[in-house]
Amino acid sequence: MADRPFPLGATAVAAALGALTLGTLGAVLAQAGGAAPGPADWAAVRFTLVQAALSAVVSVALAVPVARALARRRFAGRGAVVALLGAPFLLPVIVAVLGVLAIFGRAGWLSQGLMAVGLPPLSIYGLHGVVLAHVFFNMPLAVRMILQGWQAIPAERLRLAASLGFGPGAIWRHLEAPMLRAVLPGVAAMIFAICLTSFAVALTLGGGPAATTVELAIYQALRFEFDLPRAAALSAVQVGLCAVAVALAARLALPAGFGAGLDRVADWPARAGGWRWVMDGLVIGAAVVFVALPLVAVARQGVPGLAGLPPQVWAAAGRSLAVALASGALAVGGALVLALAVAQGRRGYELAAMLPLAASALVLGTGLFVIVQPFVSPARVALPVTVAVNAALFLPFAFRILLPEARSLQADHGRLAQALGLGVLARLRWVTLPRLRRPLGFAAGVAAALSMGDLGVIVLFAGEQGATLPLLVQRLMGAYRMESAAAAALLLVVLSFVLFWGLDRWGRGNAAA
Amino acid sequence: MRSSFLAVGFCATASLAAAETPVLTVLTYDSFVSEWGPGPAIEKAFEATCGCDLRLVGAGDGAALLARVQLEGKGSEADIVLGLDTSLTAMAAASGLFAPHGVTGSFDLPVDWDDPLFLPYDWGWFAMVHDTTRLATPPASFQALAASDLKIVIQDPRSSTPGLGLLLWVKAAYGDRAPEIWSALADNIVTVTPGWSEAYGLFLAGEADMVLSYTTSPAYHLIAEDDATKAAAPFDEGHYLQVEVAGKLAASDQPALADAFLAFMGSEGFQSVIPTTNWMYPARTPAGGLPEGFDTLITPAKSLLMTAAEAQAARGPALDEWLTALSR
């Protein structure tokens, strides 16, 4: 029993996730029989796959050098740079799109610069625009996750490498490449799944109907045609695509197998100066500029309206914070249980943990609505439902962050813990929680902050009161109040960021991370 | 101690009183309910006369409303659905969930109204809106727009009611020539957005010269922001109307209150709020007339509107034509 501390817990969490994602799909399907997707839907599937795959590959490819440079260098403001990389994926989609456009759009800073020297403005609309926005969202997240991988390489291995006289090339071959092999497939699968369900970004920057995603087809089927069978069928296709991606990633990922360390802070030997120093500086600088410029644009749009924010904004902010903390705690708890089970070799749970990423929030909301509505007024359960759904939706993020380190933990300390006969609680207290504190803090920060910005299900359930901050941003835009909306969005970003930063900071404790 | 006993007693009486007050539930779109929409003022005005509690429940946009009542079926808590438009009413009528309104009387609409199930409460013309400081002389038709190199941003008809309205506009104006118009327009369309907010946001950010919105949009900028630089371009072929309507659900447990609300909808208390909160024309012009600033808006020479049945029939083929023309 001791090597399987949470078999019941993991099964329960997996069952809950399965019920939320597949059960709601079933509930929608049960409203009417099945239907096969048509030719236009398959075109949407193709576009969805292409943009999601490109976005994942580009995000990960750009993230590796940035994470590597950050892992190797210590400089003033490094903490701020790492924190900055938490910001983009917290932005509400429409705000992020406007931020990206303020830089790369037809009237953006870059285009204005080009036109000032007599060149034509940039055209951002098309597949490249979609990928650019997805990279802006996801590359920083990938950097943070890959950076965790670098930090998980035991300091002892690095010292051994130094005493053996390894150069940067040898360190890459023996330490860094195996680590990346363990971490990258999971990160790529996650970004792929996120981009799979993209709809507002893909349509707005895709330039037109050629950029139709499966999620838009689901939206159309549900909203305008009330064709539940078609929506359910499309949603099943989406879940299937994600399942394939996750299964592929699980096959490609191999444990890095470094062996146990003593949890000392890693000290990279290869801090060579010269061209490597310049390269690392350039890479970090480019990443910071790429991420920071749209954020500066968002701030510039938001600041003028801050003074005139309507009072309802503050109540909504309070509700959002409560929802975020509750769902963040739920998500991380569930993710921890699943990650520990997968680390012990029960790989089936990995699919359960990733499933919510592919679920259409719209189908999930509709399904829950169908299930809840006969028994209780939807508006009355709006906030609890939002907490549960957000916890499920953001559990995959927490899971991906925890899994590589849960694996190392199992490989390094599993047998010792078993030999000592530690019980479930003792093991959690003495082995698991202290060693996973850094990824736990980061995961909690990500889950809570994402939940803060989410606008998936609340729209279906919210009553006259009880709006969350993202919903309020949407309502302000709908009432032409773009300036107030920009200010409320800025407030949302700042609050999410503080939440994320606080939890992440807790995880890092006193360690130089 | 004592004051908290008093407080508990007070709450108990208050909730008893609340239990005796009948509740009328109106399902409507999100921006109607919001603090900046007509909802709060209308709730106050109706509750002053009805001796009831008016609950406004927001559910996304107009299309989402219909999906929601279809989901809820006869078990719906709602008594009234407010916020459908004429491109959705045929489908709503076919659901069999709505009861006749029984209200007679005339409306100040540019077209005749004789729908037995749905009553109009406001209306507006779709229009391409531009910034006069950036575009002094706008094109006067879709053909002229297509011939120009102006950039526009529109909404996707598969996810938004204005997007669907534009499809019907082009179809009503050009009939079989609609595919030709769309092909010619394709290179003017910078992008297509999922909803109105995204499109309007892009336009204000300078990403396009014109945006699909309403002839009344400039009134918001003029009245609320004192900004006279936004204008709608009058098109020779006429402008398509969006008529927003409400209907009573047949399964309502408050049919008398629901009827009272539908009657109230045409009254001063409701109609006078519409122009500067929903930024549309009221279905019955208030006694005091329209607010100052509305007189600066364009009045199209010709109003286009398909009947509910025509709109329903035209939607599928028009969507296919649109997809074919723009996917290339």
Coordinates of all heavy atoms in Angstrom, one line a residue, chain A residues 94 98 101 105-107 125 200 203-204 207-209 212 216 219-220 222-226 310 312 366 369-370 373 377 460 462 464 471 475-477 479-482, chain B residues 30 34-36 55-56 58 61 63-64 67-68 70-72 75 77 91 151 156 158-160 164 190-192 194 196 198 202 204 206-207 217 220 315 319 323 326:
Chain A
I94 N -9.8 39.2 -25.3 CA -10.0 40.4 -26.1 C -9.0 41.5 -25.8 O -8.5 42.2 -26.7 CB -11.5 40.9 -26.0 CG1 -11.7 42.3 -26.6 CG2 -12.1 40.8 -24.6 CD1 -11.6 42.4 -28.1
L98 N -6.2 43.1 -28.3 CA -6.0 44.6 -28.5 C -4.6 45.0 -28.2 O -4.0 45.9 -28.8 CB -7.1 45.4 -27.7 CG -8.5 45.3 -28.3 CD1 -9.5 46.0 -27.4 CD2 -8.6 45.8 -29.7
L101 N -2.4 43.9 -31.0 CA -2.6 44.8 -32.2 C -2.0 46.2 -32.0 O -1.6 46.8 -33.0 CB -4.1 44.9 -32.4 CG -4.7 43.6 -33.0 CD1 -6.3 43.8 -33.1 CD2 -4.2 43.4 -34.5
G105 N -0.4 45.6 -35.1 CA -1.6 45.9 -36.0 C -1.3 46.9 -37.0 O -0.2 47.5 -37.1
R106 N -2.4 47.2 -37.8 CA -2.3 48.1 -38.9 C -1.9 49.5 -38.4 O -1.2 50.3 -39.1 CB -3.6 48.2 -39.7 CG -3.8 46.9 -40.6 CD -5.1 47.1 -41.4 NE -4.9 48.0 -42.4 CZ -5.7 49.1 -42.6 NH1 -6.6 49.4 -41.7 NH2 -5.6 49.9 -43.6
A107 N -2.5 49.8 -37.2 CA -2.3 51.2 -36.7 C -1.3 51.0 -35.5 O -1.2 52.0 -34.7 CB -3.6 51.8 -36.2
Y125 N -3.2 40.0 -40.0 CA -4.4 39.1 -40.1 C -4.1 37.9 -41.0 O -3.7 38.0 -42.1 CB -5.6 39.9 -40.5 CG -5.9 41.0 -39.6 CD1 -5.4 42.3 -39.9 CD2 -6.6 40.8 -38.4 CE1 -5.7 43.4 -39.0 CE2 -6.8 41.8 -37.5 CZ -6.4 43.1 -37.8 OH -6.6 44.1 -37.0
A200 N -11.9 33.0 -30.1 CA -11.9 34.5 -30.3 C -10.6 34.9 -31.0 O -10.6 35.7 -31.9 CB -12.2 35.2 -29.0
L203 N -10.4 33.6 -34.7 CA -11.3 34.3 -35.7 C -10.8 35.7 -35.9 O -10.7 36.2 -37.0 CB -12.7 34.2 -35.2 CG -13.7 34.7 -36.2 CD1 -13.7 33.9 -37.4 CD2 -15.1 34.7 -35.6
T204 N -10.6 36.5 -34.8 CA -10.3 37.9 -34.9 C -9.0 38.1 -35.6 O -8.9 39.0 -36.5 CB -10.1 38.5 -33.5 OG1 -11.3 38.2 -32.7 CG2 -10.0 40.0 -33.5
G207 N -8.5 36.6 -39.7 CA -8.9 37.4 -40.8 C -10.2 37.0 -41.5 O -10.6 37.7 -42.4
G208 N -10.9 36.0 -41.1 CA -12.1 35.7 -41.7 C -12.5 34.2 -41.6 O -11.9 33.5 -40.8
P209 N -13.5 33.8 -42.3 CA -14.1 32.4 -42.1 C -13.1 31.3 -42.5 O -13.3 30.2 -42.0 CB -15.3 32.4 -43.1 CG -15.2 33.6 -43.9 CD -14.3 34.6 -43.3
T212 N -11.8 29.4 -39.4 CA -12.8 28.8 -38.5 C -12.2 27.6 -37.7 O -11.5 26.8 -38.2 CB -13.9 28.2 -39.3 OG1 -14.6 29.3 -40.0 CG2 -15.0 27.5 -38.5
L216 N -15.5 27.4 -32.8 CA -16.5 28.3 -33.4 C -17.7 27.5 -34.0 O -18.8 28.0 -33.8 CB -15.9 29.2 -34.5 CG -16.8 30.0 -35.3 CD1 -17.5 31.1 -34.4 CD2 -16.1 30.7 -36.5
Y219 N -19.9 26.7 -31.2 CA -20.6 27.9 -30.8 C -21.8 28.1 -31.7 O -22.9 28.4 -31.2 CB -19.6 29.1 -30.9 CG -20.0 30.3 -30.2 CD1 -19.6 30.6 -28.9 CD2 -20.7 31.3 -30.8 CE1 -19.9 31.7 -28.2 CE2 -21.0 32.5 -30.2 CZ -20.7 32.7 -28.9 OH -21.0 33.9 -28.2
Q220 N -21.5 28.1 -33.0 CA -22.6 28.3 -33.9 C -23.7 27.2 -33.7 O -24.9 27.6 -33.7 CB -22.0 28.2 -35.4 CG -23.1 28.4 -36.4 CD -22.6 27.8 -37.8 OE1 -21.5 27.3 -37.9 NE2 -23.4 28.0 -38.8
L222 N -24.5 25.6 -31.1 CA -25.3 25.8 -29.9 C -26.1 27.0 -29.9 O -27.2 27.1 -29.4 CB -24.3 25.8 -28.7 CG -23.9 24.5 -28.1 CD1 -22.9 24.7 -27.0 CD2 -25.1 23.8 -27.5
R223 N -25.5 28.2 -30.3 CA -26.1 29.4 -30.2 C -27.2 29.7 -31.2 O -28.2 30.1 -30.9 CB -25.1 30.6 -30.3 CG -24.2 30.6 -29.1 CD -25.0 31.1 -27.9 NE -24.1 31.3 -26.7 CZ -23.5 32.5 -26.4 NH1 -23.7 33.5 -27.2 NH2 -22.8 32.6 -25.3
F224 N -26.8 29.5 -32.5 CA -27.7 29.9 -33.6 C -28.6 28.8 -34.1 O -29.6 29.1 -34.7 CB -26.9 30.5 -34.7 CG -26.7 32.0 -34.5 CD1 -25.5 32.5 -33.9 CD2 -27.6 32.9 -34.8 CE1 -25.3 33.8 -33.7 CE2 -27.5 34.3 -34.6 CZ -26.3 34.7 -34.1
E225 N -28.1 27.6 -34.0 CA -28.9 26.5 -34.6 C -29.6 25.6 -33.6 O -30.4 24.8 -33.9 CB -28.0 25.7 -35.6 CG -28.1 26.2 -37.0 CD -26.7 26.3 -37.6 OE1 -25.9 25.4 -37.4 OE2 -26.5 27.3 -38.3
F226 N -29.1 25.8 -32.3 CA -29.6 24.9 -31.3 C -29.6 23.4 -31.7 O -30.5 22.7 -31.5 CB -31.0 25.3 -30.9 CG -31.4 24.7 -29.5 CD1 -30.7 25.0 -28.4 CD2 -32.4 23.8 -29.4 CE1 -31.0 24.5 -27.2 CE2 -32.7 23.2 -28.2 CZ -32.0 23.6 -27.1
P310 N -16.5 52.5 -12.3 CA -17.8 52.4 -11.6 C -17.6 51.5 -10.3 O -16.8 50.6 -10.4 CB -18.7 51.7 -12.6 CG -17.9 51.1 -13.7 CD -16.6 51.9 -13.7
Q312 N -19.3 49.2 -9.1 CA -19.6 47.7 -9.2 C -18.4 46.9 -9.4 O -18.3 45.7 -9.1 CB -20.6 47.5 -10.3 CG -22.0 48.1 -10.2 CD -22.0 49.5 -10.6 OE1 -21.0 50.1 -11.0 NE2 -23.2 50.1 -10.7
T366 N -23.2 24.2 -21.0 CA -24.5 23.8 -21.5 C -25.0 22.5 -20.8 O -26.1 22.4 -20.3 CB -24.6 23.7 -23.0 OG1 -24.1 24.9 -23.6 CG2 -26.0 23.4 -23.5
F369 N -25.7 23.0 -17.3 CA -27.0 23.7 -17.2 C -28.2 22.7 -17.3 O -29.1 22.8 -16.5 CB -27.0 24.8 -18.3 CG -28.2 25.7 -18.2 CD1 -28.0 26.9 -17.5 CD2 -29.4 25.4 -18.7 CE1 -29.1 27.8 -17.3 CE2 -30.5 26.3 -18.6 CZ -30.3 27.5 -17.9
V370 N -28.1 21.8 -18.3 CA -29.1 20.8 -18.5 C -29.3 20.0 -17.2 O -30.4 19.6 -16.8 CB -28.8 20.0 -19.7 CG1 -29.7 18.8 -19.8 CG2 -28.8 20.8 -21.0
Q373 N -30.5 22.5 -14.0 CA -31.7 23.4 -14.1 C -33.0 22.7 -13.6 O -33.8 23.4 -13.0 CB -31.8 23.8 -15.6 CG -32.9 24.8 -15.8 CD -34.0 24.3 -16.6 OE1 -33.8 23.3 -17.4 NE2 -35.2 24.8 -16.5
S377 N -32.4 26.8 -9.4 CA -32.2 27.9 -10.3 C -30.8 28.1 -10.6 O -29.9 28.2 -9.7 CB -32.8 29.1 -9.6 OG -32.2 30.3 -10.2
L460 N -23.3 31.8 -18.7 CA -24.6 31.0 -18.8 C -25.3 31.0 -17.5 O -26.5 31.0 -17.4 CB -24.2 29.5 -19.1 CG -24.4 29.0 -20.5 CD1 -24.1 27.6 -20.6 CD2 -25.9 29.2 -20.9
A462 N -24.7 33.3 -14.5 CA -24.8 34.5 -13.7 C -26.2 35.1 -13.7 O -26.8 35.2 -14.8 CB -23.8 35.5 -14.2
E464 N -28.7 38.5 -12.1 CA -28.6 40.0 -12.2 C -27.4 40.5 -11.4 O -26.7 41.4 -11.8 CB -29.9 40.6 -11.9 CG -30.5 40.2 -10.6 CD -31.9 40.6 -10.4 OE1 -32.1 41.8 -10.7 OE2 -32.7 39.8 -10.0
L471 N -16.6 39.3 -16.6 CA -18.0 39.5 -17.2 C -18.3 41.0 -17.2 O -18.9 41.5 -18.1 CB -19.0 38.7 -16.3 CG -20.4 38.7 -16.8 CD1 -20.6 38.2 -18.2 CD2 -21.3 37.9 -15.8
R475 N -19.4 43.5 -20.2 CA -20.6 44.3 -20.1 C -20.3 45.7 -20.4 O -21.0 46.4 -21.1 CB -21.3 44.2 -18.8 CG -22.0 42.9 -18.6 CD -22.7 42.8 -17.2 NE -23.4 41.6 -17.1 CZ -24.1 41.2 -16.0 NH1 -24.0 42.0 -14.9 NH2 -24.7 40.1 -15.9
L476 N -19.1 46.2 -19.9 CA -18.7 47.6 -20.2 C -18.5 47.8 -21.7 O -18.9 48.8 -22.2 CB -17.5 47.9 -19.4 CG -17.7 48.2 -17.9 CD1 -16.4 48.2 -17.1 CD2 -18.3 49.6 -17.7
M477 N -17.8 46.8 -22.3 CA -17.6 47.0 -23.7 C -18.9 47.0 -24.5 O -19.1 47.8 -25.4 CB -16.7 45.8 -24.2 CG -15.3 45.9 -23.7 SD -14.3 44.6 -24.6 CE -13.5 45.7 -25.8
A479 N -21.6 48.1 -23.6 CA -22.3 49.4 -23.4 C -21.4 50.6 -23.9 O -21.6 51.7 -23.5 CB -22.6 49.6 -21.9
Y480 N -20.5 50.3 -24.9 CA -19.7 51.3 -25.6 C -18.6 51.9 -24.6 O -17.8 52.7 -25.0 CB -20.5 52.5 -26.1 CG -21.3 52.2 -27.3 CD1 -22.6 51.9 -27.1 CD2 -20.8 52.3 -28.6 CE1 -23.5 51.6 -28.2 CE2 -21.6 52.1 -29.7 CZ -23.0 51.8 -29.5 OH -23.7 51.6 -30.6
R481 N -18.6 51.4 -23.3 CA -17.6 52.1 -22.4 C -16.3 51.5 -22.5 O -15.8 50.8 -21.6 CB -18.2 52.0 -21.0 CG -19.3 53.1 -20.8 CD -20.1 52.8 -19.6 NE -21.0 53.9 -19.3 CZ -22.1 54.2 -20.0 NH1 -22.4 53.5 -21.1 NH2 -22.9 55.2 -19.6
M482 N -15.6 51.7 -23.6 CA -14.3 51.1 -23.9 C -13.3 51.5 -22.9 O -12.4 50.7 -22.5 CB -13.9 51.4 -25.3 CG -14.9 50.9 -26.4 SD -15.0 49.1 -26.5 CE -16.4 48.9 -27.6
Chain B
D30 N -27.3 40.2 -21.9 CA -26.4 40.7 -20.8 C -26.3 42.2 -20.7 O -26.4 42.7 -19.6 CB -25.0 40.1 -21.1 CG -24.5 39.6 -19.9 OD1 -25.2 38.8 -19.2 OD2 -23.3 39.9 -19.5
S34 N -27.1 45.0 -17.5 CA -26.0 45.6 -16.8 C -26.3 47.0 -16.3 O -27.3 47.6 -16.7 CB -24.8 45.7 -17.8 OG -24.8 46.9 -18.4
E35 N -25.5 47.4 -15.3 CA -25.7 48.7 -14.7 C -25.8 49.8 -15.7 O -26.3 50.9 -15.4 CB -24.6 49.0 -13.7 CG -24.5 48.0 -12.5 CD -23.9 46.7 -12.8 OE1 -23.6 46.4 -14.0 OE2 -23.7 45.8 -11.9
W36 N -25.2 49.6 -16.9 CA -25.2 50.7 -17.8 C -26.3 50.5 -18.9 O -26.4 51.3 -19.8 CB -23.8 50.7 -18.5 CG -22.8 50.8 -17.4 CD1 -22.4 51.9 -16.7 CD2 -22.1 49.7 -16.8 NE1 -21.5 51.5 -15.7 CE2 -21.3 50.2 -15.8 CE3 -22.1 48.3 -17.1 CZ2 -20.5 49.4 -15.0 CZ3 -21.3 47.5 -16.3 CH2 -20.5 48.0 -15.3
R55 N -37.5 40.3 -11.8 CA -36.1 39.8 -11.8 C -35.7 39.8 -13.3 O -36.3 39.1 -14.1 CB -36.1 38.4 -11.3 CG -35.9 38.3 -9.8 CD -35.7 36.8 -9.4 NE -34.5 36.2 -10.0 CZ -34.5 35.0 -10.5 NH1 -35.5 34.2 -10.4 NH2 -33.3 34.5 -11.0
L56 N -34.6 40.5 -13.5 CA -34.0 40.5 -14.9 C -32.8 39.5 -14.9 O -31.9 39.6 -14.1 CB -33.5 41.9 -15.3 CG -34.6 42.9 -15.5 CD1 -33.9 44.3 -15.5 CD2 -35.4 42.7 -16.7
G58 N -29.8 37.9 -17.0 CA -29.0 38.1 -18.2 C -28.5 36.7 -18.8 O -28.0 35.9 -18.0
D61 N -26.0 36.9 -25.4 CA -26.6 37.8 -26.3 C -28.0 37.3 -26.8 O -28.5 36.3 -26.3 CB -25.7 38.1 -27.5 CG -25.3 36.8 -28.2 OD1 -26.0 35.8 -28.0 OD2 -24.3 36.8 -29.0
A63 N -29.0 35.6 -29.5 CA -29.0 34.2 -29.9 C -29.0 33.2 -28.7 O -29.7 32.2 -28.7 CB -27.9 33.9 -30.9
A64 N -28.2 33.6 -27.7 CA -28.0 32.7 -26.6 C -29.3 32.6 -25.8 O -29.6 31.6 -25.2 CB -26.9 33.3 -25.7
A67 N -31.4 29.9 -27.4 CA -30.9 28.6 -27.0 C -31.2 28.3 -25.6 O -31.5 27.1 -25.3 CB -29.4 28.6 -27.3
R68 N -31.2 29.3 -24.7 CA -31.4 29.0 -23.3 C -32.9 28.6 -23.1 O -33.1 27.6 -22.4 CB -31.1 30.3 -22.5 CG -31.6 30.4 -21.1 CD -30.5 30.1 -20.1 NE -31.0 30.3 -18.8 CZ -30.3 31.1 -17.9 NH1 -29.2 31.7 -18.3 NH2 -30.8 31.3 -16.7
Q70 N -34.8 27.3 -25.2 CA -35.0 26.0 -25.8 C -34.5 24.9 -24.9 O -35.0 23.8 -24.8 CB -34.4 25.9 -27.2 CG -35.3 26.6 -28.2 CD -34.6 26.7 -29.6 OE1 -33.5 27.3 -29.7 NE2 -35.2 26.1 -30.6
L71 N -33.3 25.2 -24.2 CA -32.8 24.2 -23.3 C -33.7 24.0 -22.1 O -33.9 22.9 -21.7 CB -31.5 24.8 -22.7 CG -30.1 24.4 -23.4 CD1 -29.0 25.0 -22.6 CD2 -30.0 22.9 -23.4
E72 N -34.2 25.1 -21.6 CA -35.1 25.0 -20.4 C -36.4 24.4 -20.7 O -37.1 23.8 -19.8 CB -35.2 26.3 -19.8 CG -33.9 26.9 -19.2 CD -34.1 28.3 -18.6 OE1 -35.0 29.0 -18.9 OE2 -33.3 28.6 -17.7
G75 N -39.9 23.9 -18.5 CA -39.5 24.0 -17.1 C -38.8 25.4 -16.8 O -38.3 25.6 -15.7
E77 N -37.9 29.0 -15.7 CA -38.4 29.9 -14.6 C -38.8 31.2 -15.2 O -39.5 32.0 -14.6 CB -37.2 30.2 -13.7 CG -37.0 29.2 -12.6 CD -36.0 29.8 -11.6 OE1 -35.3 30.7 -11.9 OE2 -36.0 29.2 -10.5
M91 N -37.6 30.9 -35.7 CA -37.2 29.8 -34.9 C -37.8 29.7 -33.6 O -38.2 28.7 -33.1 CB -35.7 29.8 -34.8 CG -35.0 28.5 -34.7 SD -33.2 28.8 -35.0 CE -32.6 27.4 -34.0
K151 N -10.7 49.8 -45.5 CA -10.7 48.5 -44.7 C -11.9 48.5 -43.7 O -12.1 49.5 -43.1 CB -9.4 48.4 -44.0 CG -8.2 48.3 -44.9 CD -8.2 47.0 -45.7 CE -7.0 47.0 -46.7 NZ -7.2 45.9 -47.7
D156 N -18.9 37.9 -37.3 CA -19.2 36.6 -37.9 C -20.7 36.3 -37.7 O -21.1 36.3 -36.6 CB -18.3 35.5 -37.3 CG -18.3 34.3 -38.1 OD1 -19.4 33.7 -38.4 OD2 -17.2 33.8 -38.6
R158 N -22.0 33.6 -37.7 CA -22.2 32.3 -37.0 C -22.1 32.5 -35.5 O -22.4 31.6 -34.8 CB -21.1 31.3 -37.5 CG -21.3 30.9 -38.9 CD -20.1 30.1 -39.4 NE -18.9 31.0 -39.4 CZ -17.7 30.5 -39.7 NH1 -17.5 29.2 -40.0 NH2 -16.7 31.3 -39.7
S159 N -21.7 33.7 -35.1 CA -21.6 33.9 -33.6 C -22.1 35.2 -33.1 O -22.1 35.5 -32.0 CB -20.1 33.8 -33.2 OG -19.3 34.7 -34.0
S160 N -22.7 36.0 -34.0 CA -23.2 37.3 -33.6 C -24.4 37.8 -34.3 O -24.5 37.5 -35.5 CB -22.1 38.4 -33.6 OG -22.0 38.8 -35.0
L164 N -25.1 38.4 -38.5 CA -26.2 37.8 -39.2 C -27.0 38.9 -39.9 O -27.5 38.7 -41.0 CB -27.1 37.0 -38.2 CG -28.2 36.1 -38.7 CD1 -27.7 35.2 -39.8 CD2 -28.8 35.4 -37.6
V190 N -10.8 43.6 -43.3 CA -9.6 43.3 -42.6 C -9.7 42.0 -41.8 O -8.9 41.1 -41.8 CB -9.3 44.5 -41.5 CG1 -8.1 44.1 -40.7 CG2 -9.1 45.8 -42.3
T191 N -10.8 41.9 -41.0 CA -11.0 40.7 -40.3 C -12.5 40.6 -39.9 O -13.2 41.6 -40.0 CB -10.1 40.6 -39.0 OG1 -10.1 39.3 -38.5 CG2 -10.5 41.6 -37.9
V192 N -12.8 39.4 -39.4 CA -14.2 39.1 -38.9 C -14.0 38.7 -37.5 O -13.2 38.0 -37.1 CB -14.7 37.9 -39.7 CG1 -16.1 37.5 -39.2 CG2 -14.8 38.3 -41.2
P194 N -15.7 37.6 -33.5 CA -16.8 36.8 -33.0 C -18.0 37.6 -32.5 O -19.2 37.1 -32.6 CB -16.2 36.1 -31.8 CG -14.8 36.4 -31.8 CD -14.5 37.5 -32.7
W196 N -19.8 41.9 -31.4 CA -19.8 43.3 -31.7 C -18.6 44.0 -30.9 O -18.0 44.9 -31.5 CB -21.1 43.9 -31.3 CG -21.2 45.4 -31.5 CD1 -21.6 46.0 -32.6 CD2 -20.9 46.4 -30.5 NE1 -21.6 47.4 -32.4 CE2 -21.1 47.6 -31.1 CE3 -20.4 46.3 -29.2 CZ2 -20.9 48.8 -30.4 CZ3 -20.2 47.5 -28.5 CH2 -20.5 48.7 -29.1
E198 N -15.7 43.1 -29.9 CA -14.3 42.9 -30.5 C -14.2 43.8 -31.8 O -13.2 44.5 -31.9 CB -14.1 41.5 -30.9 CG -13.9 40.5 -29.8 CD -15.2 39.9 -29.4 OE1 -16.3 40.4 -29.8 OE2 -15.2 38.9 -28.6
L202 N -11.7 47.1 -32.2 CA -10.7 47.1 -33.3 C -10.8 48.4 -34.1 O -9.8 49.1 -34.4 CB -10.8 46.0 -34.3 CG -10.5 44.6 -33.8 CD1 -10.6 43.6 -34.9 CD2 -9.1 44.6 -33.2
L204 N -12.1 51.3 -33.0 CA -11.7 52.4 -32.2 C -10.2 52.5 -32.1 O -9.6 53.5 -31.9 CB -12.3 52.4 -30.8 CG -13.8 52.7 -30.7 CD1 -14.3 52.6 -29.3 CD2 -14.2 54.0 -31.3
G206 N -8.2 51.9 -34.4 CA -7.7 52.3 -35.7 C -7.3 51.2 -36.6 O -6.6 51.4 -37.6
E207 N -7.8 50.0 -36.3 CA -7.4 48.9 -37.2 C -8.2 48.8 -38.5 O -7.9 48.1 -39.5 CB -7.6 47.5 -36.5 CG -6.6 47.2 -35.4 CD -5.2 47.1 -36.0 OE1 -5.0 46.2 -36.9 OE2 -4.2 47.8 -35.6
S217 N -25.0 54.4 -33.2 CA -23.8 54.4 -32.5 C -23.1 55.8 -32.2 O -22.7 56.0 -31.1 CB -22.8 53.5 -33.2 OG -23.2 52.1 -33.2
Y220 N -24.1 57.7 -29.1 CA -23.4 57.4 -27.8 C -22.2 58.3 -27.6 O -22.0 59.0 -26.6 CB -22.9 55.9 -27.7 CG -22.0 55.7 -26.5 CD1 -22.5 55.6 -25.2 CD2 -20.6 55.8 -26.6 CE1 -21.7 55.6 -24.1 CE2 -19.8 55.8 -25.5 CZ -20.3 55.6 -24.2 OH -19.5 55.6 -23.1
R315 N -31.3 32.5 -44.4 CA -30.1 32.4 -43.6 C -29.1 31.4 -44.1 O -28.0 31.7 -44.3 CB -30.5 32.1 -42.1 CG -29.5 32.6 -41.2 CD -30.0 32.4 -39.8 NE -29.7 31.1 -39.4 CZ -30.1 30.5 -38.2 NH1 -30.8 31.3 -37.4 NH2 -29.8 29.3 -37.9
L319 N -25.5 32.2 -45.7 CA -24.3 31.9 -45.0 C -23.4 31.1 -45.9 O -22.2 31.4 -45.9 CB -24.7 31.0 -43.7 CG -23.6 30.7 -42.8 CD1 -22.9 31.9 -42.2 CD2 -24.1 29.8 -41.6
L323 N -19.6 32.3 -46.8 CA -18.5 31.4 -46.5 C -17.7 31.2 -47.8 O -16.4 31.2 -47.8 CB -18.9 30.1 -45.9 CG -19.3 30.1 -44.5 CD1 -20.0 28.8 -44.0 CD2 -18.1 30.4 -43.6
L326 N -15.7 34.4 -48.9 CA -14.7 34.9 -48.0 C -13.6 33.8 -47.7 O -12.5 34.2 -47.2 CB -15.3 35.4 -46.7 CG -16.1 36.7 -46.9 CD1 -16.3 37.3 -45.5 CD2 -15.5 37.7 -47.8

